Amino acid sequence: MKKIMGLLLLTGIVFLSACGQQTESAAGDDGKINVVATTTMIKDLVEQVGGEQVAVTGLMGPGVDPHTYKPSATEVNTIGEADMIAYNGLHLEAQFTDVFEQSAQRGIPTMVIGDAIAEDDLIQVEEGADSTVDPHIWFSVENWKQATDYVADHLAEQDPKHAEAFEDNAVAYKQELDELQTYITERIEEIPEQSRYLVTAHDAFSYFGEAFDFEVVGLQGINTQTEAGTGDISSLADFIVEKAIRSVFVESSVSSRNMDALMEAVNSRGQELQNAGELFSDALGDEAQNAETYIKMYRSNIDTIIEGLN
Ligand SMILES: [Zn+2]
């Protein structure tokens, strides 16, 4: 009898301590924080920093355009059940406005990566009379380091017991980002300064251009929701001829139709223009493309750009 009582008592203690742990860390059944992330870049970032302590559900897959992506009813439910939500903001996920508002009302903790970036490091874009912030913040590696710290801080708030692990992961990851920065800088040295033009399907690479001294030109603006007009194609074709640009790049998350029209327009002006390959702009690639993480994606882009411009 005594033995049974002891056993019961022991079970009770184990049960109590398990409960205590759960309310303290606000984590899911398996002890992990269930994070729902919108883009592939953000999913990767939260996984890098959260490590074993997070289970991240990504809504958008490789090659998906976040400007136009609309969440399904099932995905809206998934967001509603998350411990935390991670998204870019700055109107990148333009079809998610209502969903984000609802989850804010429900008090679901969020990580808005755009909020992580110091105001001076955000690029303002004039669109008609309005000024908006360019949402493609991940193409500045320095920005992504700020985002890394931001995610570590927010995960630590959610799960204070693992604050140290998040901090350690962030430090290690920022070191990898520094190595990436060095790789990009060194490879760009291979391109003569007067040839540093990056012409792509839409304006996703301004942060890259500013950080690494490249002139970037997108056929469409900072979002893909409005179609490129024939006037846009014609004036960009003139620019390409004037600057004697020989290579342009398509994007994995944007239809190549407009770029085909651009190449035709340049060819009809008597200049040869080649499609120098596919860049990952608003989504990572997959494992087969060796671009399934932010760092691999960026390295792949740089290799494609250097090869294409040489
Ligand atoms: Zn974009």
Side-chain angles (χ1 to χ4, degrees):
M1 185 65 187
K2 225 177 180 178
K3 236 182 194 170
I4 295 169
M5 281 296 286
L7 205 66
L8 278 174
L9 205 65
L10 204 69
T11 325
I13 289 164
V14 171
F15 180 69
L16 276 174
S17 64
C19 283
Q21 195 173 3
Q22 208 146 83
T23 42
E24 205 177 293
S25 67
D29 292 345
D30 52 1
K32 295 186 182 196
I33 312 171
N34 288 308
V35 183
V36 171
T38 52
T39 69
T40 43
M41 291 75 73
I42 295 173
K43 176 176 190 272
D44 177 53
L45 178 63
V46 176
E47 283 175 343
Q48 299 291 344
V49 179
E52 301 272 288
Q53 307 307 326
V54 296
V56 189
T57 306
L59 298 182
M60 301 176 200
V64 170
D65 179 358
H67 298 288
T68 54
Y69 188 84
K70 208 173 159 61
S72 69
T74 315
E75 286 172 332
V76 173
N77 287 337
T78 307
I79 293 170
E81 285 161 9
D83 295 327
M84 291 184 94
I85 303 165
Y87 64 92
N88 191 84
L90 305 173
H91 304 293
L92 178 76
E93 304 96 336
Q95 309 296 321
F96 280 72
T97 313
D98 293 344
V99 181
F100 292 153
E101 255 170 40
Q102 283 162 19
S103 57
Q105 277 167 6
R106 286 172 138 193
I108 303 173
T110 50
M111 295 185 269
V112 186
I113 305 304
D115 290 352
I117 314 303
E119 197 150 343
D120 283 350
D121 295 323
L122 293 170
I123 295 177
Q124 299 284 338
V125 184
E126 307 298 325
E127 275 194 327
D130 302 327
S131 172
T132 43
V133 175
D134 184 334
H136 306 89
I137 47 176
W138 55 93
F139 281 120
S140 153
V141 179
E142 284 299 326
N143 282 356
W144 219 231
K145 284 169 68 180
Q146 294 179 34
T148 302
D149 285 332
Y150 174 92
V151 169
D153 290 347
H154 281 73
L155 291 178
E157 250 171 57
Q158 187 74 7
D159 182 3
K161 285 180 85 172
H162 294 104
E164 208 172 312
F166 300 137
E167 176 64 26
D168 290 349
N169 292 346
V171 169
Y173 189 56
K174 282 190 293 177
Q175 200 166 338
E176 286 184 57
L177 292 175
D178 282 336
E179 286 161 20
L180 173 67
Q181 176 94 1
T182 306
Y183 179 77
I184 299 167
T185 311
E186 283 176 2
R187 289 236 58 191
I188 286 176
E189 289 300 311
E190 296 173 37
I191 305 295
E193 267 172 54
Q194 70 273 15
S195 305
R196 291 180 192 166
Y197 286 103
L198 185 67
V199 180
T200 61
H202 89 297
D203 261 329
F205 296 95
S206 295
Y207 288 93
F208 164 75
E210 195 158 295
F212 300 103
D213 220 7
F214 242 81
E215 184 156 350
V216 299
V217 191
L219 181 51
Q220 284 176 278
I222 57 166
N223 71 63
T224 57
Q225 286 162 300
T226 45
E227 274 291 309
T230 45
D232 301 329
I233 292 172
S234 171
S235 61
L236 184 50
D238 289 340
F239 177 83
I240 287 169
V241 171
E242 188 197 323
K243 303 289 179 187
I245 295 167
R246 299 286 171 189
S247 304
V248 294
F249 300 86
V250 294
E251 296 172 33
S252 65
S253 55
V254 183
S255 153
S256 65
R257 193 160 41 94
N258 290 326
M259 294 305 280
D260 292 341
L262 175 68
M263 280 187 280
E264 240 178 74
V266 173
N267 289 335
S268 75
R269 285 161 170 76
Q271 183 170 309
E272 250 178 70
L273 184 68
Q274 65 152 342
N275 171 358
E278 186 178 78
L279 300 180
F280 301 101
S281 53
D282 293 5
L284 303 180
D286 57 24
E287 277 176 44
Q289 295 164 310
N290 200 25
E292 76 277 20
T293 68
Y294 170 81
I295 289 177
K296 286 183 178 182
M297 174 278 289
Y298 217 139
R299 289 180 78 105
S300 165
N301 276 357
I302 288 303
D303 293 345
T304 303
I305 291 169
I306 304 307
E307 216 171 288
L309 295 183
N310 264 335

